[in-house]
Amino acid sequence: MSKSKKYDVVIIGAGPAGYVAAIRCAQLGLNTACVDNWVNSDGEFALGGTCLNVGCIPSKSLLESSELYSRAQGELADHGIQTKSVTLNLDAMMARKNQVVSDLTRGIEGLFKSNKVNWIKARGRLLANRRVECVSADETKVIEGEKIIIATGSSSIDIPAAPLTDGLIVDSTGALAFTEVPKRLGVIGAGVIGLELGSVWNRLGSDVVMLEAQETFLTMTDEQVSRDSLRIFKKQGLDIRLNARLMKTEIKKGQVHVQYQDADGDRTEVFDKLIVAVGRRPNIDNVFDEEASLLLDERGYIHVNDQCETSLPCVYAIGDVVRGPMLAHKGSEEGVMVAELIAGNFAEVKYDLIPSVIYTHPEIAWVGKTEQHLKTAGENYKVGTFPFAANGRARAMGASDGMVKVLSQGDSDRILGVHIIGPQASEMVAQAVIAMEMEASAEDIGLMTFAHPTLSESLHEAVLAVNGNAIHIARTRRR
């Protein structure tokens, strides 16, 4: 066997964690290789992993398109815009989604070229002594790295009661590629992915039933947001059934028969399609050789410390294969941190300030502590809320559902958490992250000037409400 090629850094995986790490390593002057063998639906190699190819980006494209379709059907008349008829061209909608994905993945390929990252189109596997086996259809070769970064991402969790079945029972990837709108659609799981996919097809005309095993809706969100969002989504037509445990599925005459249990006993439903969206698991199968002896934690993730160092010297792991939320931006920030550390610079990720977003309509976004967490911890805290119904811009947009909620420390007034359900919550939460990064108090933000009329004024009013000073609401909730 010929002598293996050596790199300063070898990265296994080219999703948001891996490709960002590769680019930053190269920018810092490190000779970098990134090993990834993702093949898109056209049979071409593509960078970006699950997020860009069959996750974040295509789902947001369909969410945007389906929202426009929904508005054109039922809301434009309120704005004085009359349309004789609105029809759906699903093929064109899917083609646009695919083009958005293609443009972005090719953009990453261009960044790899301009930064001189060597993209090895193969499946990577970590061997002992920081060697990486690269297996492709043409050859198997071994390369070496002074440092190794594992960023192999995650996959949808399969459940025995609902095995994936040729376009009838599908995971999130299959749900982004339907060729027609199902008349009746079932979704197993009413979490982030299930809600987003259910929202897309509900807007496009499906009768959507969501079966969620948990007794509480969106358990990771603030309880007030959970209650408000459940009410709003049900009003939109999503049939969300909590405490509903899937028992089995059967395919009969081209339809999916679902048996589940709830508080009233056994129930059955029949769907044209069924989406399984019960979560994701880390991709660790065949990622490292037994001789590499990587330590896993009790949940099956690669064990790392706060700097993403694994149990092996000079081997790092980032993104969905390690602890923490499975979020693209979390993985990207870990990629930047590890690149900086490898280059000898200081870097860290503040895990308690990673924002979360659900891209429904209205959007849900939050950062920091929830009120139930603060209550459980016995923390002295204050609360300020402000409804979008009292915001001029939201009313002008016809998007007045939801609110902004701010939690601050009872003595210092330092902001501990911000929770938003409403229009453009995904953009507004960034202001909260900045404020909390700077350890701002509610009073600090209250003293700032916000442009009028903007949605962001709702955040301003909510921080004013923390100390009883909100202007545009009659009473302020005080704890």
Side-chain angles (χ1 to χ4, degrees):
M1 182 180 290
S2 61
K3 190 174 181 180
S4 59
K5 187 170 182 179
K6 292 185 177 180
Y7 293 89
D8 294 328
V9 184
V10 175
I11 298 156
I12 305 174
Y19 86 72
V20 168
I23 291 171
R24 187 59 187 144
C25 283
Q27 289 175 341
L28 292 167
L30 301 167
N31 184 18
T32 304
C34 186
V35 185
D36 190 273
N37 68 337
W38 185 284
V39 176
N40 63 25
S41 59
D42 293 327
E44 299 176 347
F45 287 100
L47 295 166
T50 296
C51 177
L52 265 72
N53 287 280
V54 293
C56 312
I57 300 304
S59 65
K60 303 312 166 285
S61 175
L62 289 183
L63 281 161
E64 182 69 19
S65 296
S66 63
E67 176 61 20
L68 291 174
Y69 176 68
S70 177
R71 293 193 69 188
Q73 280 193 311
E75 297 178 28
L76 294 185
D78 291 341
H79 292 266
I81 302 171
Q82 302 294 331
T83 54
K84 291 184 178 180
S85 64
V86 177
T87 58
L88 172 66
N89 185 334
L90 186 59
D91 289 342
M93 187 179 290
M94 290 295 180
R96 177 186 179 277
K97 173 207 68 173
N98 294 338
Q99 188 62 53
V100 170
V101 169
S102 177
D103 290 346
L104 289 172
T105 55
R106 291 183 184 279
I108 298 172
E109 186 175 349
L111 291 171
F112 267 31
K113 289 178 180 179
S114 64
N115 286 285
K116 296 181 172 56
V117 175
N118 184 16
W119 176 19
I120 299 175
K121 300 171 183 177
R123 179 182 177 87
R125 185 166 71 110
L126 177 65
L127 307 177
N129 302 317
R130 298 193 301 280
R131 295 175 300 134
V132 175
E133 179 185 62
C134 304
V135 181
S136 68
D138 300 326
E139 63 175 346
T140 297
K141 63 181 180 180
V142 175
I143 60 177
E144 297 180 40
E146 289 294 323
K147 310 286 184 182
I148 305 293
I149 303 175
I150 300 173
T152 46
S154 63
S155 298
S156 298
I157 293 175
D158 297 327
I159 50 177
L164 303 187
T165 308
D166 292 337
L168 291 174
I169 303 178
V170 302
D171 58 11
S172 58
T173 299
L176 293 169
F178 288 156
T179 56
E180 60 183 19
V181 179
K183 291 182 179 179
R184 203 151 196 271
L185 174 66
V187 183
I188 307 301
V192 177
I193 297 173
L195 277 172
E196 292 183 356
L197 293 173
S199 293
V200 166
W201 295 106
N202 177 54
R203 295 168 189 168
L204 297 180
S206 292
D207 177 13
V208 178
V209 176
M210 309 189 72
L211 304 179
E212 170 56 55
Q214 298 280 349
E215 294 183 12
T216 304
F217 185 59
L218 294 178
T219 56
M220 65 289 199
T221 64
D222 186 89
E223 288 178 346
Q224 189 173 358
V225 170
S226 170
R227 291 192 300 269
D228 287 356
S229 60
L230 181 59
R231 173 182 54 80
I232 292 169
F233 295 147
K234 284 187 173 182
K235 185 178 178 181
Q236 291 176 359
L238 289 176
D239 184 350
I240 301 172
R241 305 178 187 179
L242 303 176
N243 195 24
R245 298 183 177 274
L246 177 69
M247 303 305 292
K248 69 176 183 179
T249 58
E250 288 185 276
I251 305 298
K252 297 179 181 179
K253 297 182 179 180
Q255 290 185 307
V256 185
H257 292 246
V258 173
Q259 180 179 324
Y260 71 98
Q261 287 183 342
D262 62 14
D264 296 323
D266 291 342
R267 293 180 174 275
T268 59
E269 291 286 352
V270 180
F271 302 110
D272 297 297
K273 306 280 187 182
L274 182 69
I275 302 172
V276 178
V278 295
R280 301 184 64 81
R281 59 176 183 82
N283 289 333
I284 58 171
D285 297 340
N286 203 33
V287 168
F288 55 91
D289 188 79
E290 289 185 4
E291 293 182 3
S293 300
L294 265 183
L295 179 65
L296 303 181
D297 66 19
E298 65 278 4
R299 298 177 60 203
Y301 294 80
I302 297 175
H303 177 76
V304 293
N305 62 15
D306 289 343
Q307 288 72 47
C308 289
E309 295 171 313
T310 71
S311 57
L312 299 178
C314 302
V315 178
Y316 300 80
I318 59 177
D320 286 2
V321 292
V322 303
R323 77 289 177 268
M326 285 185 170
L327 299 171
H329 47 281
K330 173 259 195 183
S332 295
E333 290 305 314
E334 287 178 333
V336 171
M337 175 183 71
V338 169
E340 296 287 351
L341 293 173
I342 289 173
N345 303 325
F346 171 80
E348 66 176 352
V349 173
K350 292 188 176 179
Y351 288 96
D352 57 346
L353 293 182
I354 295 174
S356 296
V357 180
I358 305 176
Y359 294 88
T360 46
H361 181 75
E363 293 181 340
I364 302 171
W366 68 95
V367 62
K369 302 294 185 182
T370 63
E371 186 169 3
Q372 59 263 33
H373 288 155
L374 295 176
K375 284 181 180 178
T376 301
E379 179 74 68
N380 178 22
Y381 68 94
K382 299 181 289 185
V383 182
T385 61
F386 188 80
F388 280 104
N391 176 275
R393 182 67 186 276
R395 294 298 290 267
M397 293 169 59
S400 57
D401 282 334
M403 55 106 190
V404 178
K405 180 175 184 176
V406 176
L407 303 164
S408 76
Q409 209 283 327
D411 299 316
S412 69
D413 197 38
R414 181 170 59 87
I415 297 174
L416 301 176
V418 176
H419 306 270
I420 308 170
I421 175 171
Q424 298 181 26
S426 59
E427 303 295 336
M428 289 179 61
V429 76
Q431 300 173 35
V433 175
I434 294 169
M436 293 172 69
E437 173 68 31
M438 303 303 175
E439 299 187 352
S441 66
E443 184 181 24
D444 289 332
I445 307 304
L447 291 171
M448 296 179 183
T449 302
F450 284 63
H452 174 77
T454 60
L455 298 173
S456 296
E457 287 180 289
S458 294
L459 175 62
H460 189 225
E461 291 274 7
V463 295
L464 289 172
V466 167
N467 294 303
N469 300 321
I471 302 298
H472 292 93
I473 48 177
R475 292 290 301 271
T476 300
R477 176 189 169 196
R478 300 296 300 278
R479 180 179 177 272

